[in-house]
Structures are given as structure tokens and as C-alpha cells.
Amino acid sequence: QKTLNEIVAFITKYRHQYPIKIMCKVLGIRRSTYYKKCNWTASHREIETQKLDAEIKKIYFDSKKRYGAPKIHSILLSDGRTLSLKRVQRRMVVMGLRSIVIKKYRHYSGHTKVVEQENLLQQDFTATAINQKWCTDITYIHTLKDGWTYLASVMDFYSKKIIGWSYGTHMTADLALKAVENACLNVKSTEGIIIHSDLGSQYTSDLFESYLSKAKMKHSFSRKGCPYDNACIESFHSLLKKEEVHLHTYIDSKDAYNSIFEYIESWYNRKRIHSSLNYMTPEAVHNMAPCAA
């Protein structure tokens, strides 16, 4: 089934060999439709829409299909465009563009007994400056040759920036500790910083607790089986999986490391805008923020 544009192009191509009247009859269109289409010129509105579509596509593909209508709309506004979010949504539907999505997490309670520890945050994820509250966690990343590998990340609550991370082939206390050590590299004083984690053995180990004690940091723990207590870092790892990990098959840990490095250091911290940060990047907010330590 050819489109009208294709039919018109075909008739125009062979108009000197066959009568237009006969070709229109055979192809099932009126001659008036053919001549109208030949003489058609785009209106100012249509030209403007074509230009908008091109801008939307560029932002969409520059983000590697990670941005949906709200973020694309925000970028267009910052570039001087005046348009509504609904118009961006409509154009994306017409072009078949859709951001990468993932099923929302559904929590199921477990029955394993775990010793509860003090929860200093109580799901208060607000901060008035950087280096007040941090959160950390470990996530799994699969590779073909090395099997399961592990990423430990540390996020600052105020800027949402990943300020430290560590990647390895074993989920150990050393891996968790290395991420925190990296986060502390550019901090003048770590005294009083609250760092929140789950109750995993890596974070309750003597090695981890000893380091926090020497650094004079306060350790806060999620309640057993409650990932919402550590929602910020859980959200980051979900984004990492949705926007990067689940879209690729990694050959080995080196391959995965290179992709993770590019995602965190080049994309997430420095280019990915966040609605919760007033559509700014974590790096920009972190650099502009007051410092508590």
C-alpha cells in the first residue's frame, strides 16, 4: 500500500511516458488530488512543526533515548522555545518516540531475621548543603565472561551527584569501603556526615564501621526489608539499569566498567538533568551548593 506522496512521485516520474489521466485512474486517485499535491507548499506552521520535530529528535537521540517529554520540553524552553509540554508529547507520539521505561518496583517483605540498627534519617532525604547526608548501596551487573559483577555507589542527598563509586567482581566489604573512600577524597572534613546504607553484611562489617568511626561519620541504617528507606540510591541504580545496563550485553568486567564510567562520570553527573533539581545537572548543583563539611 503506497502513500499518497509515493503515488504522486510515481505519476510525476512517468508523466511523459503515460497519460496522467490513465495513471490516476489505475492508481485510484483523482486528477485534482494529484495537481493539488503537486502545487502544495508547506505553511509557516508546518515548516515550524518540521523544525520542532528535528529539535525534539536531536535531544531525544543525544540522550540515547533516555529523555521523555518533560525533560525535552525543559531543554527546549531553556533554548528559547515557547511551547507547551502537551505539544511536545503530541509530536513525540506522532514520531513514535518514547523514553526508556521500566516496571516499578514492588516490595515484598522477607522473613529472614536481621538485627535492626539505628535509622537516623527516617526517610528524611532533604539537605541544606552538600556533605550533610550521603547514601550508599551495591547493585549487580552481569557479564558474559566474569558472571555477576558489583557496583557500590555513594550519592550526596543535596546534589544527587554520585560522589564516589567502586566496581569489582566480588561483593565484599572492601568494595563498599572503596566507594566511600573515593567519596571522601574531595571533602576537607568528614566529621558529622551521615551516611545511610542497608543492613547488608558489607555495611555492618568491622572494616566498614572502623573506617566510619575514624572519619567521625555517623552511620544510619535502613529498616530490614525496607528499600524505601534508601530510596535515592535505589532510584539511581534503577536508572543505571534502565538507561544503560539493560540495553547492553557486556563481554567482561572491563567492558562493563568502561560503560559504567561513561554513564556516571560523563552522562549522569554532568549531562543528565533532574526535575527534582529544577532541571539542572547534579554536577552543576554540587558546584553551586554551600558546603557543610
Side-chain angles (χ1 to χ4, degrees), residues 207-225:
L207 179 67
F208 195 82
E209 291 293 351
S210 175
Y211 179 85
L212 296 189
S213 178
K214 291 179 181 177
K216 298 182 180 179
M217 300 171 71
K218 301 177 182 178
H219 199 173
S220 174
F221 293 90
S222 298
R223 289 166 294 173
K224 174 251 177 182

Side-chain angles (χ1 to χ4, degrees), residues 159 161 269-270 277 280-289:
S159 64
K161 179 181 178 180
N269 279 343
R270 291 173 170 79
L277 300 176
M280 295 176 65
T281 64
E283 181 75 14
V285 172
H286 201 83
N287 291 338
M288 294 168 56

Side-chain angles (χ1 to χ4, degrees), residues 57-76:
K57 281 184 177 179
K58 184 179 187 306
I59 297 170
Y60 176 75
F61 288 109
D62 282 350
S63 73
K64 298 182 179 180
K65 304 180 182 181
R66 294 163 178 164
Y67 280 173
K71 287 187 171 64
I72 292 176
H73 176 247
S74 174
I75 293 174
L76 289 170

Side-chain angles (χ1 to χ4, degrees), residues 16-32:
H16 299 297
Q17 299 180 35
Y18 306 100
I20 293 175
K21 179 180 179 180
I22 294 177
M23 286 193 290
C24 286
K25 186 175 181 179
V26 171
L27 295 172
I29 67 169
R30 295 177 181 272
R31 275 186 293 169
S32 59

Side-chain angles (χ1 to χ4, degrees), residues 156-169:
D156 181 272
F157 275 109
Y158 183 86
S159 64
K160 303 296 187 293
K161 179 181 178 180
I162 301 303
I163 54 176
W165 59 280
S166 179
Y167 175 76
T169 55

